């Protein structure tokens, strides 16, 4: 499967490849508050105050907010930042007490948003423009939309491994020359890693045999993508499996690390965004979403080392063009029903 562009405005069919696992807390797993978010959408003076619950990294979401507020001086943006699992717990608690105290949710994976939609937590868009957005990231019913593409890739330390010897495919990782050199996140901890395990288990080119062979190379299992990327960059385990933007972030800071998009395809998440039904500021919230999806907003995403969801802004660094990135497909039914079996099998194979 390749990326493609939506040719009409409004909602489009959601591709199954975007569907990561519910509860996924990638790209961040730690819980923290980044600004003085009050969890309310009350007005302050003449300004509309938008509160966003998000798992976006603090520096990246702050940059987006500054750019949005420059173009929308009548809106003040406040942020509560945490991993998606912690955000879900906060939302559940607020819902039980009577009302979700935020306007927007911006987090890692589509199935979480499907759950929000099923629970009637989300407002249907009436003014969000998705005409230029990749159809794979747009909810067909118009309740949420992906904002950036975050594939899982192979990465390697360029001081330890020459480019010619670097793995090019998932199959390459089972080669004996990479024994005791691989690091990857734990699918029992990382939602994105659990998604990967499920996709690999159900891929006709990989499956159980590939995971078993990978286990014979004794990979180090890190808690999440963050420490995985650091381990690769430090050279302790010079080959790894990690989300791509972290590799580019480290490389931009001078670390000897490089990403490779596997020839068989890359599983990926899309960091969707949606408006809560309880929001009193739905028009301003949809303005915010339109900014994130705009050419300016997507150029910022590229500058932040993400792959964009529109194809007119290019890709970061030497990343491939969107149309040249192969994806790994899995159905929503598979991703939900086969998750635990896949995680259990993966963990057993790595021991």
């Amino acid at each position: 499967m390749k990326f493609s562009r939506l040719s009409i405005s409004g909602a489009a069919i959601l591709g199954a490849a975007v569907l990561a696992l519910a509860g996924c807390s990638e790209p961040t797993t730690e819980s923290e508050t980044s600004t003085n978010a009050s969890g309310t959408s009350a007005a302050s003076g003449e300004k509309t105050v938008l509160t966003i619950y998000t798992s976006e990294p603090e520096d990246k979401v702050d940059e987006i907010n500054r750019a949005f507020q420059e173009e929308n001086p009548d809106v003040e943006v406040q942020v509560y930042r945490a991993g998606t699992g912690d955000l879900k717990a906060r939302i559940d608690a607020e819902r039980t007490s009577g009302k979700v105290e935020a306007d927007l949710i911006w987090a890692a994976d589509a199935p979480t948003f499907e759950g929000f939609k099923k629970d009637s937590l989300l407002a249907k868009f009436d003014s969000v423009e998705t005409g230029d957005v990749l159809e794979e990231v747009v909810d067909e019913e118009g309740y949420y939309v992906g904002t950036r593409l975050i594939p899982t890739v192979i990465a390697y330390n360029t001081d330890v491994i020459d480019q010619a010897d670097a793995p090019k495919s998932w199959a390459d990782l089972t080669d004996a020359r990479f024994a005791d050199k691989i690091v990857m996140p734990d699918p029992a901890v990382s939602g994105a890693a659990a998604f990967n395990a499920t996709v690999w288990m159900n891929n006709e080119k990989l499956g159980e045999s590939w995971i078993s062979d990978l286990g014979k190379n004794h990979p180090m299992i890190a808690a999440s993508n963050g420490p995985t990327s650091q381990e690769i960059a430090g050279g302790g385990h010079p080959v790894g499996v990690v989300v791509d933007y972290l590799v580019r972030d480290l490389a931009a800071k001078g670390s000897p690390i490089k990403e490779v998009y596997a020839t068989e395809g890359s599983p990926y998440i899309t960091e969707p965004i949606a408006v809560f039904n309880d929001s009193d500021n739905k028009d301003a919230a949809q303005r915010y979403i339109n900014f994130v999806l705009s050419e300016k907003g997507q150029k910022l995403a590229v500058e932040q080392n993400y792959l964009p969801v529109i194809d007119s802004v290019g890709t970061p660094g030497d990343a491939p063009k969107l149309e040249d990135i192969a994806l790994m497909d899995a159905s929503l039914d598979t991703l939900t029903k086969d998750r635990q079996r896949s995680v259990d099998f993966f963990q057993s194979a790595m021991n």
Side-chain angles (χ1 to χ4, degrees):
M1 181 177 182
K2 301 286 185 180
F3 290 123
S4 60
R5 184 160 59 91
L6 189 66
S7 60
I8 59 173
S9 62
I13 301 300
L14 176 67
V18 305
L19 297 170
L21 291 172
C24 167
S25 59
E26 301 296 346
T28 57
T29 56
E30 69 280 4
S31 174
E32 57 182 291
T33 305
S34 73
T35 67
N36 63 333
S38 64
T40 75
S41 55
S44 175
E46 294 185 357
K47 287 191 174 184
T48 297
V49 178
L50 283 180
T51 299
I52 301 175
Y53 289 173
T54 186
S55 61
E56 280 282 289
E58 181 177 352
D59 59 337
K60 296 179 188 291
V61 72
D62 285 351
E63 186 177 16
I64 290 285
N65 291 343
R66 284 192 297 270
F68 169 76
Q69 289 171 149
E70 285 176 3
E71 292 193 358
N72 298 270
D74 61 318
V75 180
E76 177 185 341
V77 181
Q78 297 183 345
V79 175
Y80 177 81
R81 178 185 175 277
T84 305
D86 290 331
L87 293 176
K88 289 179 66 181
R90 183 184 181 99
I91 292 163
D92 287 344
E94 291 178 348
R95 185 188 184 200
T96 299
S97 67
K99 180 180 180 180
V100 177
E101 299 294 337
D103 300 290
L104 291 152
I105 174 68
W106 189 8
D109 59 272
T112 294
F113 283 69
E114 285 291 316
F116 292 152
K117 184 170 65 173
K118 183 179 179 181
D119 291 340
S120 301
L121 288 172
L122 304 182
K124 192 169 185 176
F125 297 149
D126 57 33
S127 60
V128 171
E129 298 295 331
T130 59
D132 292 328
V133 177
L134 301 169
E135 68 177 72
E136 291 86 352
V137 310
V138 182
D139 172 38
E140 64 178 347
E141 295 180 303
Y143 285 90
Y144 64 88
V145 60
T147 61
R148 57 265 282 97
L149 304 170
I150 307 176
T152 290
V153 296
I154 300 167
Y156 66 97
N157 186 299
T158 57
D159 282 350
V160 179
I161 295 177
D162 292 335
Q163 182 175 357
D165 297 326
K168 306 296 190 299
S169 66
W170 302 120
D172 286 347
L173 294 181
T174 64
D175 193 292
R177 74 183 189 276
F178 297 121
D180 301 311
K181 295 180 179 180
I182 300 170
V183 59
M184 56 200 311
D186 187 350
V189 176
S190 163
F195 165 61
N196 295 340
T198 311
V199 172
W200 289 327
M201 277 282 286
N202 290 277
N203 183 275
E204 61 181 11
K205 294 181 180 179
L206 301 176
E208 293 183 7
S209 62
W210 175 79
I211 292 176
S212 296
D213 289 342
L214 179 65
K216 295 175 184 177
N217 272 345
H218 310 293
M220 171 186 173
I221 305 301
S224 64
N225 279 279
T228 296
S229 63
Q230 294 288 343
E231 180 71 15
I232 302 164
H237 286 74
V239 177
V241 176
V242 67
V243 290
D244 66 342
Y245 82 89
L246 287 178
V247 179
R248 288 190 286 269
D249 280 354
L250 287 171
K253 296 175 182 177
S255 295
I257 189 170
K258 173 66 178 169
E259 80 274 22
V260 175
Y261 293 87
T263 57
E264 301 97 336
S266 298
Y268 71 107
I269 56 178
T270 62
E271 202 76 358
I273 193 168
V275 180
F276 283 115
N277 237 342
D278 287 337
S279 171
D280 295 323
N281 304 304
K282 292 184 177 66
D283 290 342
Q286 290 182 93
R287 251 198 287 165
Y288 185 90
I289 296 174
N290 281 330
F291 177 80
V292 172
L293 299 176
S294 70
E295 186 166 300
K296 183 173 182 178
Q298 289 298 294
K299 283 182 177 178
L300 277 174
V302 171
E303 290 172 7
Q304 294 175 343
N305 286 319
Y306 292 117
L307 296 177
V309 294
I310 62 175
D311 61 12
S312 63
V313 297
T315 53
D318 58 358
K321 295 179 180 179
L322 295 182
E323 61 265 28
D324 294 331
I325 298 176
L327 305 178
M328 300 192 86
D329 289 326
S331 69
L332 176 58
D333 187 61
T334 296
L335 288 170
T336 53
K337 292 183 179 180
D338 203 42
R339 176 177 183 263
Q340 192 59 55
R341 181 186 76 93
S342 298
V343 170
D344 291 345
F345 187 90
F346 180 93
Q347 290 185 303
S348 177
M350 299 305 119
N351 292 330

